[in-house]
Amino acid sequence: MAKICVVLATYNGEKYLSKMLESLMVQTRPADLIVAVDDGSKDSSVQILEEFRNRLPLQISVSPENQGHRAAFSKALELATPQLADEDFIALADQDDIWLPHKLQELEQALISAPQSLVFGDAQIIDGQGNVTAESWRKFSLIQEQVSIEQQIAGINNVTGCLCLFRAALLNKIMPIPQGVTVHDRWIAMLAQKNGGVKAIDKAVVQYRIHGENAVGGAATPPMSKTLETQILWAETLIENATSLNLTENEIEFGRHLVRLSRKRLESGLAIGELPWIYKNRRNLFLPGSFLQTLKRVLFTAVGLPLARKLWGKN
């Protein structure tokens, strides 16, 4: 029987970590292995992990200093790899969510019966006190069940890491996760899409906690300058790894053009000449919206940081 390995990254997560680990204990299809990497916590996160060591198939690795969530998940996957066969499965876990009891069972059954390399479910949204604030994370965030590689290059990701299960056979493609990858689950989703495909199921499998201190999902919108710099880093990293990602020439050119546009926006007030390209690629650059919403997005994407700073106080 195939094994399921859960990889978990923790960092100063004492407030919610126990609830997360308790939800792993009541899975109708229990995990066979849980690899936890603590990313230099200064609170009691490691102590909490130790308290669960005899209650879960838990392996704990502690980093001496904080490296960031990409590095922590990369380390956890590195530790898990020699313990898994190609037919096994991997689930990604965040420290502050609550897994619904049927999560692993639902995702495993969906993946066994599908040809795809990765499946992902939906989630309820809960607040810091555990109250349900929305029944569907997918509807709340306008997440599409399928996205193109160009959309992925533009930063539109439909696979939230804690909602997915993927085949361990992907590890030889995923690892090592490049330094320039801004979010690990985007990298994994792209490789799954290029190597077998991605499938969405409609059922909620997690209570996804948004509490204002999330490392990724639910985090505050970064400054415009940071957004553009992150976009450049992400697209350049994908282009540098075009061979391992099996990107087509059209996908590579889309990424290169997006980098050029983002650099122009950092340095100049307007990029009027880019409007035809932006409009042509609007479905790859933006989430679905009304005609008016899309038009506003198209026009704003031609506005550079110097002008946005003057007009709206962007930084």
Side-chain angles (χ1 to χ4, degrees), residues 59-60 70 86 89 104 114 117 121 146 169 195 200 208 219 224 240 247 259 266 268 290 309 313:
Q59 299 176 6
I60 303 167
R70 182 212 62 84
D86 283 353
F89 305 118
L104 291 178
S117 295
Q146 295 292 331
N195 295 273
Y208 185 56
M224 183 175 174
E240 289 169 4
L247 297 183
V259 168
L266 276 174
S268 60
S290 68
R309 185 179 290 124

Side-chain angles (χ1 to χ4, degrees), residues 9-12 37-41 61-69 71-72:
T10 63
Y11 177 65
N12 291 346
V37 171
D38 183 81
D39 195 26
S41 292
S61 175
V62 180
S63 299
E65 57 186 31
N66 181 249
Q67 300 290 321
H69 62 274

Side-chain angles (χ1 to χ4, degrees), residues 27 37 42 74 91 126 129 135-137 141 150 169 208 219 303 313-314:
Q27 290 294 300
V37 171
K42 305 303 181 186
S74 184
I126 58 174
Q129 289 70 49
E135 288 295 336
S136 173
W137 165 246
S141 296
E150 286 87 354
Y208 185 56
V303 175
K314 298 282 187 180

Side-chain angles (χ1 to χ4, degrees), residues 161-263:
C162 65
L163 305 182
C164 77
L165 187 74
F166 62 91
R167 300 184 189 277
L170 272 180
L171 284 169
N172 65 348
K173 303 283 188 182
I174 293 167
M175 301 299 291
I177 301 177
Q179 291 285 340
V181 168
T182 51
V183 185
H184 62 283
D185 51 12
R186 288 183 182 177
W187 175 253
I188 292 169
M190 287 189 73
L191 282 161
Q193 191 167 336
K194 283 287 191 175
N195 295 273
V198 170
K199 177 183 179 180
I201 64 171
D202 290 333
K203 292 186 178 180
V205 294
V206 165
Q207 289 188 320
Y208 185 56
R209 195 186 300 272
I210 297 181
H211 49 78
E213 299 175 7
N214 302 68
V216 182
T221 303
M224 183 175 174
S225 57
K226 180 66 174 177
T227 298
L228 291 170
E229 289 165 359
T230 300
Q231 177 63 79
I232 291 167
L233 176 62
W234 169 246
E236 287 184 336
T237 299
L238 298 181
I239 293 166
E240 289 169 4
N241 291 274
T243 300
S244 60
L245 285 165
N246 196 26
L247 297 183
T248 66
E249 284 300 320
N250 287 339
E251 290 162 352
I252 294 170
E253 180 50 38
F254 176 83
R256 287 174 175 159
H257 200 124
L258 187 58
V259 168
R260 292 195 296 270
L261 171 60
S262 298
R263 290 196 184 281

